[in-house]
Amino acid sequence: MGVGRAVGAVTCAVDYIEKALDLITKANPSNELIKLFGGSGGINHHEEDRGKIEAIVLFTSKEVIERKLTAFPYEGCPTPGSVRDEINENLRKVWKRSNQHEGRKLFWIEVDIDNFQDCFDKVIKIACRFSPNGKQGKEIWYNLTVGSNSIGYALLSMSRLTGKSNKQYLLSQSKEYQKAVIVPRGIDIRPNKDNYFNLLPFWKTQLDMLDLYEILQELVGLTNEITTKELLNRLKSKNKISLNLDLETFRINYMLSLYSQGYTNYERPNQ
């Protein structure tokens, strides 16, 4: 996420995901919740850790990191302290209430908030380190609600040019919600249908996304299951993908990304 002076734009997003996680474990969760966590934690995590937030990376200014910038007033706090301290304190409250505050990590990344290239370079480096096919192998979601325009465009560009972010979302900026630091009462947790938490669509670009769309086009209309190997061979036979692409690279760079976004089922290697 990017960070400005609005505490709730960060903490409400975390609170929403935590409450959605609670609901997904209840009887008869909504289709929207099932879709939200459909590709989460299904490969390397135990079922009980599905969708759990392991870390938050916050891109922000030097002033925020050094506690020199005061947060905007919010519900219950007319005279807040520094942005960093207020976010830290409210995240602790959210996670303590959810009983899942152990082991969480919070990273503060300094960027020049008016320099797109600086923001983009640092966002890309973080994404490559944490992404499904990066060093950490994590699922990445990003929040476009907060921070400067440069940070927001850097996050959006990273996702569209690399395909390394699995979910992208926005929180409602309605006036009645702007001072909230947890999900406002009355919100029925249903992504894209509650007028509060909105997932961005999967957009096509002329760069890295082209091959992903060729794969999706090949899958459209299939009535029977197909293995990853069979799919790769079909694509090669139609010259829709590089003839030099090997099966393992295809699985890691393309099929895991499509799985995490809910487009395919997962097929374990060598099975």
Side-chain angles (χ1 to χ4, degrees):
M1 310 183 197
V3 177
R5 296 177 62 190
V7 174
V10 174
T11 60
C12 285
V14 176
D15 187 50
Y16 188 98
I17 293 170
E18 295 293 352
K19 286 176 176 174
L21 283 168
D22 289 342
L23 289 173
I24 200 73
T25 64
K26 310 284 188 197
N28 302 315
S30 69
N31 289 332
E32 293 79 24
L33 287 173
I34 292 171
K35 184 175 181 180
L36 181 65
F37 296 110
S40 299
I43 299 174
N44 296 320
H45 294 87
H46 298 297
E47 187 66 24
E48 60 267 22
D49 292 327
R50 186 181 184 128
K52 176 183 175 183
I53 299 173
E54 295 183 57
I56 299 176
V57 181
L58 302 173
F59 298 91
T60 191
S61 66
K62 180 179 181 179
E63 290 77 13
V64 168
I65 290 176
E66 294 183 350
R67 296 178 168 85
K68 294 179 180 178
L69 197 62
T70 302
F72 288 137
Y74 57 86
E75 287 181 359
C77 188
T79 55
S82 72
V83 175
R84 184 168 181 172
D85 286 341
E86 296 295 340
I87 287 177
N88 285 338
E89 179 61 27
N90 281 282
L91 282 178
R92 276 195 291 267
K93 291 178 181 177
V94 168
W95 280 331
K96 185 176 182 180
R97 190 193 65 250
S98 72
N99 250 349
Q100 294 194 24
H101 59 289
E102 296 296 331
R104 304 303 182 92
K105 295 179 181 179
L106 197 60
F107 298 95
W108 294 85
I109 309 297
E110 180 184 328
V111 295
D112 180 345
I113 63 172
D114 294 314
N115 184 327
F116 169 79
Q117 193 61 51
D118 182 64
C119 295
F120 181 68
D121 288 347
K122 290 172 181 175
V123 166
I124 286 288
K125 287 178 181 177
I126 292 294
C128 288
R129 181 178 181 85
F130 284 98
S131 66
N133 54 341
K135 185 174 181 180
Q136 298 294 325
K138 305 300 182 183
E139 179 179 348
I140 297 176
W141 296 20
Y142 74 76
N143 179 3
L144 274 177
T145 311
V146 287
S148 70
N149 288 339
S150 294
I151 297 174
Y153 283 125
L155 289 167
L156 187 62
S157 298
M158 174 276 291
S159 174
R160 301 316 178 197
L161 297 178
T162 69
K164 291 183 180 297
S165 175
N166 311 97
K167 298 285 194 312
Q168 305 91 42
Y169 62 92
L170 285 163
L171 299 184
S172 171
Q173 295 296 286
S174 296
K175 186 175 181 180
E176 64 267 33
Y177 300 150
Q178 290 178 4
K179 290 189 176 182
V181 287
I182 59 173
V183 176
R185 291 182 180 179
I187 298 294
D188 181 19
I189 308 291
R190 296 186 67 184
N192 286 339
K193 290 192 175 181
D194 54 25
N195 295 319
Y196 185 74
F197 185 98
N198 300 288
L199 289 164
L200 275 66
F202 182 64
W203 293 332
K204 181 176 182 178
T205 73
Q206 291 300 115
L207 298 172
D208 292 44
M209 295 295 100
L210 184 59
D211 285 337
L212 292 178
Y213 268 82
E214 293 292 352
I215 295 168
L216 288 174
Q217 285 294 326
E218 189 64 27
L219 291 173
V220 169
L222 288 178
T223 55
N224 298 315
E225 290 188 354
I226 186 172
T227 67
T228 303
K229 184 177 181 179
E230 290 169 341
L231 177 60
L232 178 59
N233 288 337
R234 285 172 65 111
L235 291 165
K236 286 183 176 181
S237 70
K238 297 180 181 181
N239 292 316
K240 289 187 174 182
I241 205 163
S242 171
L243 296 177
N244 297 320
L245 186 64
D246 63 83
L247 180 61
E248 184 63 9
T249 302
F250 178 68
R251 186 181 71 83
I252 292 174
N253 289 352
Y254 296 101
M255 298 311 293
L256 284 181
S257 179
L258 290 175
Y259 165 77
S260 65
Q261 296 179 67
Y263 288 100
T264 68
N265 293 324
Y266 181 65
E267 177 192 19
R268 293 190 178 278
N270 303 319
Q271 287 190 352

